[in-house]
Each structure stands twice: as C-alpha cells, then as structure tokens.
Amino acid sequence: QVQLVESGGGLVQAGKSLRLSCAASGSIRSINVMGWYRQAPGKQRELVADITSGGSTNYADSVKGRFTISRDNAKNTVYLQMNYLKPEDTAVYYCHVRELTGIWWNNYWGQGTQVTVSS
C-alpha cells in the first residue's frame, strides 16, 4: 500500500512562489505517473501537472510557463515548483500516484494541502 504525504502549502502574495512536495511511502511499481491535482471551492478537481516514471511531463494550460513538476525516484518524491502565483491558483492541491500493475492501474491520493494566493 502506498501512502502520500504532502507539504509546502500556505498563504502567499500574488507573484510569489511556493514549492510543494509529496513523499510516497511503500513500494511503487516501476511504471508509474506522479502528479498534482487541485480543487478550488465549487469547482471540479483538475489536473495541474504530472510526470511519468520516464520523465515525460504534462501541464494544464493555465500553469504552463509558471509551474514545474519534477521527481526524485530515489526518494519516491514529486515536487511542484509554483512561480508567479495568481489568486486563481488558490485551491487544495492533491498529490496523486498511479502505478501499472499487470493490466490495470492502482491510484493513490494524498490528503491535500491548501494553497492560498492573495491579491
């Protein structure tokens, strides 16, 4: 069983930066994707960015050029560097890991960390 622990959220002014971290405990299969989702009040949860075990990345259009996702496979940790934050980035950010086991994917979620950007 994989458990995810996020850290790094908080309150920040617009234009500033934050870095989120998510450490995965337990063993993750070699083919996996680690990523970040977010959910603002009254809105659906949406993908922010993800990164495959091979290093390929994918970003939401709204964060391209401002956010950078990276991972440290030795530490089973994924990071989200968020620069030039905007008030509309305010949300609960969730770490997500999916791993390929045979023919299906297992999905794991973190508990979420609040990011609040003031104008």
Side-chain angles (χ1 to χ4, degrees):
Q1 188 73 9
V2 175
Q3 292 187 325
L4 306 177
V5 178
E6 300 126 333
S7 60
L11 172 63
V12 66
Q13 288 184 326
K16 302 297 185 181
S17 300
L18 278 177
R19 188 192 195 207
L20 304 183
S21 300
C22 172
S25 63
S27 178
I28 302 177
R29 305 281 179 144
S30 60
I31 300 176
N32 63 78
V33 182
M34 304 181 82
W36 293 92
Y37 286 71
R38 68 185 180 187
Q39 188 167 19
K43 294 188 177 181
Q44 289 189 330
R45 191 173 297 189
E46 62 176 1
L47 174 69
V48 177
D50 60 23
I51 181 168
T52 69
S53 45
S56 296
T57 58
N58 177 45
Y59 294 91
D61 288 342
S62 59
V63 306
K64 284 180 180 176
R66 299 188 298 122
F67 291 10
T68 302
I69 191 169
S70 61
R71 59 187 290 167
D72 184 334
N73 291 329
K75 296 181 179 180
N76 272 353
T77 299
V78 62
Y79 306 96
L80 185 68
Q81 178 67 43
M82 305 185 292
N83 299 328
Y84 306 107
L85 283 159
K86 303 176 180 180
E88 50 263 43
D89 294 318
T90 295
V92 178
Y93 284 69
Y94 296 91
C95 179
H96 175 256
V97 171
R98 62 180 188 271
E99 58 175 3
L100 183 61
T101 61
I103 60 172
W104 65 84
W105 292 87
N106 284 338
N107 288 274
Y108 304 97
W109 291 94
Q111 80 284 359
T113 185
Q114 177 71 45
V115 172
T116 303
V117 184
S118 63
S119 58

